[in-house]
Each structure stands twice: as C-alpha cells, then as structure tokens.
Amino acid sequence: MNGEFSFQESEGAFSPLARRFADLLLRLSPGASREAGLAAMLVSREVDRGNVCVELKKYASTVLENGESAPPFGEWTRILLESGVAGEPGEWKPLILDAKGRLYLRRYHEYETSLARFVGEGSCFNPSGADTALLKASLGRLFPASGENPDLQRVAALVCATRRFSVISGGPGTGKTHTVVKALALILELNGRPLKIAVCAPTGKAAGRLGEAIRATVGGIDCPEWVKNAIPREVFTLHRLLGFGNLAGSFAHGPENTLAHDLVVVDEASMVDLPLMAHLAGALKGSAKLMLVGDRDQLASVEAGAVLGDICGAGGAEGFTPRFAGFIREVSGDGVETTGEGGNSLSDAITILRKSYRFKVDSGIGECAGAVNRGDGEGALALLSSGSREDAVFEELPPVAGFHRKLSALALLKFEKFLRSKTPGEALAEFSSWRVLCALRKGPYGVEDINSLIERALSSRGLIDSQKRWYAGRPVLITRNDYNAGLFNGDVGVTMSDPEAGGELRVFFQSPGGGLRGLHPARLGEHETVFAMTVHKSQGSEFEEILLVLPPGERAGITRELLYTAMTRAKRKVEVWGEGDSFVSGVKKRVERSSGLRDALWG
C-alpha cells in the first residue's frame, strides 16, 4: 500500500473490518492516497451502521474519530476519482461516487440501482389493457358497499391487480392481510386460472402469524372455490423462498435461475434490507408481480437500507395521479386524493390504509402511537402520564436498585400463569400475553441484564431452576434460520418436559400449519432466552400487553420509529418506564439512513 500507509493504528475509531478494507484498497491501488483510505473506512463503517452509502459532505473538512482531518468536499472527490479506487456510476471500481457526493461500495450501488429500475418499471400502468367490466364485477363482489368512500382496501386491491409492483402500507389493525387475500382473489379472477403464488415474510415468526391470518380469512371471501384453493396457506421466509446457493451468503435463485412464481407477496416489508430486496427483485421472472406489505413508519431493517420507507417516500405517496384517480373512480366508484398534475407515477402503486379496526376511537394505545408517529412527544407523554387511559401508562424509571425490585415483582405476577401451564400449547398462548421490550441489549436496562434479573426472580420463587442452562419454563428465541431443524429467525419456543420422551425436556414450537412439535435442546441452533427482547426483535410479533423499558439519558438510542414500533406490538396495554425528557426528545429523533434510493425513485 505504497509502503507508507496503514490504518491499523486507528484502533477503536473504526472496526477491524473497516481498517482492513481501507488497507487492502491502498495496497491494490498504487495511485491511492490516505484520503482515499479514510473514505473507504467511512463507507465500510456506514454500511455496518445500516446506511447504504456515506455522504461525504457530512464529513468533509471535519476531524474524524481517529483524529485525522478530512479534506474539503471538492478536493476529496477529486482525490477519490483520481486514485483509481473510486469511479462514477457505471464504472467498474471498488467504490462508486455519485453526482451528489454519496460514496458506495460498488455492490451496494448495484443493489440500489437495480431495485430502483425494477420498482420504476413495475409501478407503471396502462389503462388500455384493463378489462374494466370484469374489474367492476369482481371488485363489487369482493368488496361490497361499506359506506366508506374511498374504501382504501378496495383501492389497494385494484392497485395490486393493475401493475407488476405495488405496496400496501398501514398501521396495526388496518386490515392489510385481509386486503392482501382479497387482492389475490381479484388477480386470480382477472387471470381466469390458478397462478403460482408465494407468500413470504422476513422471519419465521412473521411467516407463522401471516399463515394463520390467511387461513382464517380465505373462507369468508365471496369468490369461486377454485380461487380460494389457489390462494396459498403456507407462508415461507424470504431466505427459504430464494434458497441457498453453493457459496456462503448466496442464493439459489437469481437472474440466471429465476423463481417460477407468477406473484410474490412480502409481508413485514419494513424489515427487509436493501441487499435482500434487490436479490428478490432480481430473482423474479419478467412477468411476475411483487406486492410489498408492511408499516412504512416502523423501524427499518437491522441491515443496510430503509427500503419500504424509501419506496413510500417522505409523504410522496399521499395521493394518486389525476389519470389513475379517474380510472379508480370509473372502476370502483372511489374518490381518492390526487397528487396534482405532473405527479410521480410511483404514487399510483402505493396505497396507505388508515382506518384501524384494532383500536377503538378512545384507545390510549392508538392515540398515543398516533401522536408519536406525528412527532408530538409532549402530547404522547401527557396522554401516557394522565391516568385517563387504562391501556396506556407511563412511569418514571426508578434508580437501578428500585428498578430491579419493581420489575422482579411485576415479572412474578405476569409470568406465573405461563410457568404453571400444563401443556405446551397453553404455555405458548400464555407467554404471548406479556413481554418486556428494550431499546438496548447491554446495560442495566438492556435485554441481557433484564433476562438474567427475571430468571433470578422466578427462580427465587421456585418457578424455574435457573441454575441449569435448560430448565422447564425457559422461553427461547431463534436468532438465525436453521433449515435442517425447520426453525427460523424470530421463532419462539417454550421448554417443557415431554411425557412422550420419558419426561425429558423438549422445546416446543408452533408448527406452520398449526399444531406443535418438540425438539431436543441440542438440536437448536443460535438462540437466546426471551423473557425480554429488543424492540427490533419484536417486529412481526404481537402481544396482549407490553412493558417498554427506556434507558435514561439523551444518547440512549430512543427514536420515533422505535417508540412507535414498540407501542404497536401491544393489543390491550402499553406500559412505558422511562424518563419523560428522554421520551419527548426520542419522539423528535428520526432514523435517517443514508441512501440514494428515495432520490432515484422520487427525484
């Protein structure tokens, strides 16, 4: 690397991977300078933080964490392009620098570019090819008059039926799954024959819940029997759908080996990162449809990107173009908001469901989650603290010792019935009644310490034997897909003695098609105890009640998306323990991920 530079002395400021990546680029590029290495370290670190790229303007002319000064923006971009390690879009270079100063790892720029092309092309609609008479007849039967105009569920089904790419977004209880099932029925009726359809989700837990919801919904829709039979009941994880390739991290299906499916539905799409979404889009055959379903306001994926949020745009999907709005009125009779002349046609592919069928008008959870989503932290805190709603409560976080006592007592109260369950099915149902959600993994208010605290409390009452690694009553969360065991990231199981195995312990999980199966603990792959879990891990799950523990301080990782996601996991009650000031400031903080996808789609 020119025999001069090494970034290994930057210990602590950047990860070993970022430092080694920068050193490698400098070794392979004789014309590269230290300034190019600094940029390489930054982009590697930003991807690790969930960003797709690094915005050089943010760091130009500043002192970086390793004590070095970054050059001015114009000079830095010139150095990068002259170094040989970075090129403009379309060039074959390790790093790609776009016109707005965003620096990418080349493969991430390819992911973004290919996905933007797919979405842009797939969202187009030509009304001249639509059978309006059949559309009217099917929509009228599948969505009988509801007294609402517009009926956004009906509009969403029409949107999905009339283009290759579509999005249904909405908060909890807005009827997304119900709408998807009817949209599938509409698409099948328009085609007049069964289609090969795949319904999938990012995690096993989300896939299981979606499968249950579909099975409960299909029987009640008004459509021919062959249409009902053609709607799949089995739901896959995305990784299982794509299959595993010969190389680590690769998939069996891609542009050279496309999926045979005519239509793919992805639920909980906010959890899907950019690389995975790009792989899925690239694995679809040219005529296939893709429907994304999820809540655009939830936390983004753990890995790089905020794909669903970027596709929906920052309020850019709030109406339809006048041309498509006219078509909607003609076919369904629904009058929808319009974007005005010259609107982006992508807005025609996106429907935002607004009416919640889960929360009543006077629901504290619904009102508080709505205030958080609007950025009204003071209003949300006032509601939680007022005592006027039994289903939404805020309490000031006690000091550590008091916190331990209070949480231990509450855990004994909430988990005793679960731990006295007689059967695995009863235990799994009871365990979903209450969960502790945390913003962090580490520290006295993090998942790891809280799980240990609850174990000690339960053990002190003789409800479990926490001296053993595996004990009756231990709940576990699967943290990595295990296809050999048939377990997937997000699956939750409970440990109980199994009479059919001579009283030995088995971990029982809900089977995808209903029923239960018990596995020997030794068969489990990566997992963790789950009396408490992070808000990120709770995505795709629902609980009767949740306790949200927010750590103190301004730098506690509390954001609007985290608070909204946590609150909307609960069906009956949300209890928040935290500091009022930290809660309000957290509501004001948005998760901002560096990416060019939104610009590519919305301009």
Side-chain angles (χ1 to χ4, degrees):
M1 89 201 125
N2 302 328
E4 301 175 18
F5 306 134
S6 174
F7 289 99
Q8 296 310 308
E9 74 275 10
S10 302
E11 187 71 39
F14 293 93
S15 70
L17 178 62
R19 301 196 309 270
R20 289 169 189 154
F21 175 64
D23 283 342
L24 177 63
L25 285 189
L26 294 182
R27 280 201 302 271
L28 297 178
S29 303
S33 65
R34 191 169 184 86
E35 290 83 357
L38 288 173
M41 280 201 302
L42 282 169
V43 71
S44 178
R45 184 187 68 180
E46 292 304 291
V47 169
D48 192 50
R49 289 179 172 180
N51 296 302
V52 176
C53 55
V54 60
E55 298 179 34
L56 291 181
K57 290 180 180 178
K58 178 180 176 181
Y59 294 98
S61 300
T62 66
V63 178
L64 303 180
E65 290 93 324
N66 65 348
E68 297 190 55
S69 296
F73 176 69
E75 180 184 344
W76 207 357
T77 58
R78 177 184 58 77
I79 290 171
L80 279 166
L81 293 174
E82 292 176 354
S83 69
V85 302
E88 296 177 341
E91 293 189 71
W92 188 259
K93 300 288 184 180
L95 305 176
I96 298 298
L97 180 66
D98 75 4
K100 293 194 175 182
R102 290 182 287 239
L103 186 68
Y104 297 79
L105 298 174
R106 180 180 57 79
R107 71 179 183 279
Y108 278 82
H109 188 265
E110 290 176 350
Y111 293 148
E112 192 174 273
T113 302
S114 64
L115 182 60
R117 185 186 309 114
F118 174 87
V119 170
E121 294 174 354
S123 61
C124 295
F125 165 64
N126 180 6
S128 64
D131 186 338
T132 55
L134 183 55
L135 272 171
K136 287 180 180 179
S138 294
L139 280 170
R141 180 169 26 80
L142 290 167
F143 296 91
S146 63
E148 296 180 19
N149 194 317
D151 182 335
L152 289 175
Q153 292 187 2
R154 180 167 57 213
V155 171
L158 176 59
V159 167
C160 294
T162 51
R163 67 205 67 234
R164 285 179 49 226
F165 174 80
S166 56
V167 175
I168 300 174
S169 180
T174 51
K176 295 186 293 294
T177 303
H178 182 81
T179 304
V180 166
V181 172
K182 289 192 173 184
L184 293 179
L186 176 63
I187 292 168
L188 286 163
E189 290 191 20
L190 293 176
N191 279 270
R193 61 180 177 82
L195 300 172
K196 189 170 179 58
I197 300 171
V199 182
C200 53
T203 68
K205 179 68 175 178
R209 282 189 54 242
L210 179 60
E212 292 173 7
I214 290 174
R215 288 189 289 274
T217 303
V218 168
I221 61 175
D222 185 4
C223 64
E225 203 63 29
W226 73 264
V227 172
K228 293 181 181 181
N229 294 336
I231 297 173
R233 274 62 162 179
E234 183 178 10
V235 180
F236 300 95
T237 64
L238 262 172
H239 286 84
R240 184 180 171 194
L241 176 70
L242 290 169
F244 285 100
N246 296 324
L247 300 176
S250 66
F251 295 103
H253 292 285
E256 305 301 320
N257 181 30
T258 57
L259 293 162
H261 298 83
D262 303 297
L263 193 162
V264 174
V265 180
V266 180
D267 193 28
E268 297 290 351
S270 64
M271 299 170 66
V272 183
D273 57 63
L274 174 66
L276 185 55
M277 192 69 81
H279 278 299
L280 174 62
L284 297 176
K285 61 185 182 182
S287 59
K289 289 177 177 284
L290 176 62
M291 293 166 53
L292 302 185
V293 185
D295 188 343
R296 63 176 180 172
D297 297 315
Q298 278 192 30
L299 280 167
S301 57
V302 175
E303 304 300 330
V307 175
L308 185 64
D310 283 345
I311 290 174
C312 289
E318 296 299 323
F320 299 92
T321 62
R323 179 175 181 237
F324 189 61
F327 180 79
I328 292 172
R329 182 177 291 279
E330 175 193 353
V331 172
S332 70
D334 292 295
V336 295
E337 296 179 26
T338 61
T339 59
E341 295 298 334
N344 192 321
S345 62
L346 175 56
S347 64
D348 291 341
I350 301 167
T351 311
I352 311 297
L353 303 181
R354 304 189 184 284
K355 181 179 178 179
S356 176
Y357 297 89
R358 177 189 299 176
F359 302 128
K360 296 180 180 179
V361 176
D362 61 348
S363 163
I365 299 176
E367 189 174 345
C368 188
V372 167
N373 208 16
R374 293 191 303 271
D376 182 9
E378 290 85 356
L381 181 62
L383 176 67
L384 285 165
S385 305
S386 68
S388 63
R389 301 287 201 281
E390 293 184 357
D391 63 338
V393 178
F394 184 91
E395 294 193 21
E396 285 291 329
L397 187 70
V400 173
F403 170 73
H404 283 184
R405 289 192 298 272
K406 187 172 183 178
L407 181 57
S408 295
L410 186 59
L412 285 167
L413 177 67
K414 294 294 187 179
F415 284 131
E416 182 173 6
K417 188 175 181 181
F418 151 64
L419 292 168
R420 297 194 186 282
S421 298
K422 302 298 183 183
T423 66
E426 181 185 340
L428 282 168
E430 284 296 336
F431 188 58
S432 294
S433 65
W434 187 72
R435 195 65 45 87
V436 181
L437 302 185
C438 305
L440 304 175
R441 291 197 61 83
K442 304 287 185 181
Y445 303 101
V447 164
E448 293 177 4
D449 280 18
I450 287 178
N451 271 320
S452 296
L453 172 69
I454 292 175
E455 283 186 314
R456 291 194 300 272
L458 298 175
S459 187
S460 71
R461 290 289 183 89
L463 293 171
I464 64 172
D465 183 0
S466 63
Q467 297 301 309
K468 300 176 181 178
R469 179 165 183 251
W470 287 102
Y471 54 82
R474 183 189 177 197
V476 295
L477 173 73
I478 300 301
T479 58
R480 184 180 293 272
N481 293 338
D482 182 348
Y483 291 92
N484 291 325
L487 296 173
F488 303 97
N489 180 24
D491 285 351
V492 171
V494 295
T495 311
M496 299 186 73
S497 61
D498 184 1
E500 295 184 7
E504 291 186 2
L505 292 179
R506 294 291 185 266
V507 187
F508 290 89
F509 295 87
Q510 195 82 41
S511 296
L516 299 170
R517 62 194 185 107
L519 298 175
H520 192 284
R523 289 192 60 192
L524 269 59
E526 295 185 30
H527 63 274
E528 58 189 35
T529 303
V530 70
F531 290 110
M533 65 199 308
T534 62
V535 176
H536 262 110
K537 288 288 187 183
S538 74
Q539 287 182 273
S541 300
E542 289 180 349
F543 310 101
E544 293 299 313
E545 302 179 6
I546 65 110
L547 168 64
L548 174 60
V549 178
L550 301 176
E554 294 292 321
R555 300 172 63 88
I558 304 171
T559 65
R560 183 183 305 179
E561 291 83 359
L562 181 138
L563 293 169
Y564 172 79
T565 300
M567 290 178 175
T568 54
R569 299 310 88 205
K571 292 190 284 187
R572 288 199 301 112
K573 184 177 181 180
V574 168
E575 189 170 353
V576 182
W577 293 0
E579 294 181 340
D581 290 345
S582 296
F583 178 91
V584 172
S585 64
V587 172
K588 295 176 182 177
K589 295 176 185 174
R590 302 298 305 266
V591 175
E592 298 291 343
R593 293 230 166 142
S594 295
S595 162
L597 182 59
R598 184 173 297 185
D599 279 355
L601 294 173
W602 294 97

